[in-house]
Amino acid sequence: MSTTTVSTTPKSARPLWRRLIGFNLLSAVILGIGGYYLGWWIGHLVSEGKSFEYTGATNENDAALLLAYFGGVIGFLIGLGFANYPVSRMLGRPASLREKEEEGIGRYFGLCTDHKVVGIQYLCGIGLFFFVGGLNAMLIRTELLQSNPTFVGPNQYLSLVGEHGTMMMGMMTSGILGPFANYFVPIMIGARRMAFPRIEALTFWLLMAAGFILTSTIFFGGFPTGWTGYEPLNDQAVMGMDSYICFFALVGLSMALLGLNMLATIITMRAPGLSWSRLPIFVWSVFATSVLMVLAAPMLVATLLMAALDRTIGTSFFIPGGGGSSYLFQNLFWFFGHPEVYILALPAFGIVLELLPVFTRKPLWGYRLAVSGMLGVSLLSFFVWQHHLFVSGINADLRPFYMLSTEIISVPTGFIFLCVMGTLWKARTSFSVPMLFCLGWAFNFLIGGLSGVFLSDTPSDTDTHGSFFVMAHFHYTIMGGLIFTFFAAIYYWVPKMVGLNFNEKLAKTHFWLMFVSFNSTFLPLFVLGMEGMPRRVSFYEPKFHALNVWVSVSAFVLGFSMLIFLFNTVYSLIFVRERAAQNPWRSKSLEWQVPTPVPVNNFEQIPVFDADPYDYGTPLAVGPAQPAGAGG
Amino acid sequence: MSSSGASAGAPPVGEPNHLRRFLTIWIVATLIALPLVIFVLGPELPPGHGSEQATGHVTDNTVLLAMGTPVLLLVTIYLLYAVFAFRQPRGGVLEGPAVRGHQGLQTAWIVITSTLVLSLAAYATVRLLGDEGAGSGSGPTPLTVPPGKKLPVQVIAQQWAFTYRYPTYGGVETTHLELPVDQMVELHVTSLDVIHSFWAYQLGVKADANPGVDNVAFVEPTKIQTFEVHCAELCGIWHGGMFDHGHVVSAADFETWIHQQQVTFAPATKALPKYSKTYLPEPTRRGE
Ligand code: HEM
Ligand SMILES: [Cu+2]
Ligand SMILES: [Cu+2]
């Protein structure tokens, strides 16, 4: 990276007002607002009086809102300084931008190309929106305390469900790759940076812009479609729907770029000696996830573009009466949507398999099996999307194929379980907090996976599709899977990232409360679904009332367990500030061998690998030599 | 599993044979749980015995649960066993055995899981193509059609109600669903606006209603009862209110009822569009 610094005055010497001018978050917000109103104005200009579909009667202008969001995002990115580099290069100048302040808290609030800064930015940014999504869930569960919508009403209820689901899906897709892969993949593979540092920063700021756009949907009436955005309901909906479209399109863009960056980094920037068969398993999971991101996310962006055109200039991609098809949207959406759910699952596999050897003091059992499991899952996940449409009547003759492909996916997923079990056998397990969360994953994902067998079987799915059973199933795989490992990763790696320890008592309380209340929230939902309660409803029959109250109360406890985590974070990282040891878990992986805090360039000298990082355990004194099939 | 134990070396004196212990616990637990699942829980499983299809789903759910139970027990008991048996002593720094895999076990696992999964898929396919699987929306031209005489009933979904047309009774349109018992019914599900899904819980029927699409499902009610009708696809603000009851009645009662409906709705029937598999609406778009 060329970094030619322009200013010679040290930053701190300049007066405050001078420091506020320039490319920073403040300018970004100001330019963002400016861009927003510019877009809004242009939108009205072009559609006023024209035959644009909806403007007249309803006083709504989708074109204006979409252009406003577009203008806002562009202004925001320019304000942050994303245009500086391309523009100055186009003008033939050397890049004159500081993109990497060497120290100071300021670099966390702007465009920074240090992958470690971006990792921490991601962690805080995603954490914020995870919290917003969680609050929505609490409101949803409050409404469901009664069998009639008396708390927020049916319209608000649907908006809450949609916002919760969309926020969670959009944000948590990058929940592990954003913070932890950005931070640790370069270090684990012995590189000094990511392949495309500016794109890395861009993916983060796109995601933040998207988050605020989705939150803004409340000003435009919300949206009624849930996270799936099915047409033609989508086309009917008020302007709040445009927030969904814009949010998910930006998330898709961010996801595709993030995946691309990871692939380029992992393929081209490994240190000498780090052959594919020595790659840490977490890096493999990032690789498999990235393949999915790069191939699936553009599909989402294209689909949403079509939806936006339908809503603004009156095309009919998805409008049956105009030659389009409601099936088309479902098909396109799930062609993205199914890989998406594995984008959420694979990083969790990576975290668990990466952490287990450290806490069991054993090498990873069945390295090659685990790798083929992950690659198998990512390949197969492109062949199953119509299992979401078993009763829809689309390509009904192909259902046996989709049942087969869906059920086959459980074979590579089973590999991961075998590796987990193999690693645990005769281990020397210590039950530190990250390990507890990994074990929580194993149980939750097992339930999630086994309930998936019912959904993949068409006759059985006839009863469960569209019911709370599905809700329970995917919360087990995502909340119980991804989010548990997200916390495992936080407790495991944050001490390296910020150099401070968490309070262990509070962390253990967090785990136990979360594990118990999670199961007590979502296990009864299987029963509710099986007994015929549809999802996304704020009305339900009185016979479901008692169980719903139980679920809601458990959900509040679950929400409270998150507050314990929040409290722990503030208490330990801001007030107590106990220094973390350089390698508290006695890990053999490279990221723990570098000093804390990690130096800006990671390594003074690029390391050379001569083994994989799972060299734990005492070699056997007796017994046969180990057969192949393991890594090494 | 057995060879995995061997490969970890001969157990030190005093160390129990973990493998044998674990396997014993698992087998015993499975032997206890399986009969309970199959014979006690199985018959109680949803969606009950309201139709041939629903009964079929009860069997399917039982089979799936019976196959899932040993797996559930295997992994949970394993996890618990491992957690309790293989601990690091407090403050200890002991290392585990450096075992990196076991070819035989890995191969066995792949073979066993693949066999399980393939047989599940085969079973599901057979059931889907038989009458038991016919309650799911199977598109305009289902691959397999139950034999015999069928009563056609059209389900029309719109925001936010279902109505039903009986083409063989002059195309009369009713506001709730009544079906004769022990008669194979051919449901034609379609929508006039957005996507809905017709779900008759006790009958084991679910079929999406797409505008401009004729989605066929078959059901043979076997029990005289009142059943619930829900919409199972989000269709807007009153989606949760798209809820109604239908009735399965005797053949004679059905005839009485339908003739009564024909009389009551005679003027309305005249005003309706001619019966058709789909009613492609004008695109109803916002602002119109
Ligand atoms: C704090 C824990 C959570 C609770 C209590 C919770 C609760 C709920 C509830 C009550 C619903 C809607 C029920 C309905 O259909 O009417 C829902 C929907 C959903 N949730 Fe969660 N949830 C939680 C965490 C998560 C997480 C972590 C994710 C994903 C990362 C997630 C993803 C979703 C999705 C995708 C939907 C579907 C929205 C739709 O129907 O379109 N949830 N959740
Ligand atoms: Cu899927
Ligand atoms: Cu509905």
Side-chain angles (χ1 to χ4, degrees), chain B residues 57-72:
Chain B
H57 298 174
V58 174
T59 314
D60 292 339
N61 285 335
T62 312
V63 169
L64 295 182
L65 208 55
M67 290 187 106
T69 304
V71 182
L72 177 72

Side-chain angles (χ1 to χ4, degrees), chain B residues 196 231-235 239 242:
Chain B
H196 303 263
C231 177
E233 186 56 67
L234 184 49
C235 56
H239 162 61
M242 250 176 109

Side-chain angles (χ1 to χ4, degrees), chain A residues 399-409 456, chain B residues 117-118 121-122 125:
Chain A
R399 286 182 298 178
F401 168 75
Y402 286 105
M403 290 201 288
L404 181 67
S405 59
T406 305
E407 281 168 2
I408 284 187
I409 258 199
S456 67
Chain B
V117 156
L118 289 178
T125 303

Side-chain angles (χ1 to χ4, degrees), chain B residues 200-219:
Chain B
Y201 173 73
Q202 281 83 355
L203 302 188
V205 171
K206 193 176 283 147
D208 277 9
N210 275 259
V213 175
D214 173 38
N215 192 12
V216 179
F218 300 94
V219 61

Side-chain angles (χ1 to χ4, degrees), chain A residues 130 134 137-138 140-141 144 157 161-162 164-166 168-169 172 225-228 344 468 471 474-475 478-479 482-483 521-522 535-537 555 558-559 562:
Chain A
F130 179 67
M138 294 301 114
I140 297 174
R141 281 317 319 178
L144 291 176
Y157 180 80
V161 171
H164 163 72
T166 315
M168 289 296 193
M169 288 309 239
M172 296 322 286
T225 59
W227 85 280
T228 46
L344 296 167
F468 260 22
M471 253 273 294
F474 69 72
H475 279 91
I478 303 176
M479 173 102 203
L482 178 77
I483 304 298
T521 305
F522 289 103
R535 64 193 270 215
R536 299 162 162 177
V537 299
L558 181 55
M562 298 292 152

Side-chain angles (χ1 to χ4, degrees), chain B residues 82-170:
Chain B
V83 161
F84 284 108
F86 310 124
R87 295 171 155 263
Q88 180 77 265
R90 195 166 270 289
V93 287
L94 299 179
E95 296 281 302
V99 185
R100 281 176 172 263
H102 188 276
Q103 196 65 64
L105 178 55
Q106 288 170 210
T107 313
W109 179 273
I110 297 176
V111 171
I112 293 173
T113 52
S114 306
T115 315
L116 259 175
V117 156
L118 289 178
S119 44
L120 267 181
Y123 174 75
T125 303
V126 170
R127 302 286 288 179
L128 175 64
L129 299 182
D131 288 1
E132 298 88 354
S136 58
S138 311
T141 48
L143 201 55
T144 53
V145 175
K149 204 171 125 321
K150 289 169 284 285
L151 169 73
V153 179
Q154 183 172 49
V155 179
I156 303 172
Q158 58 188 304
Q159 288 168 319
W160 285 274
F162 291 108
T163 52
Y164 311 91
R165 279 190 95 168
Y166 293 81
T168 44
Y169 292 89

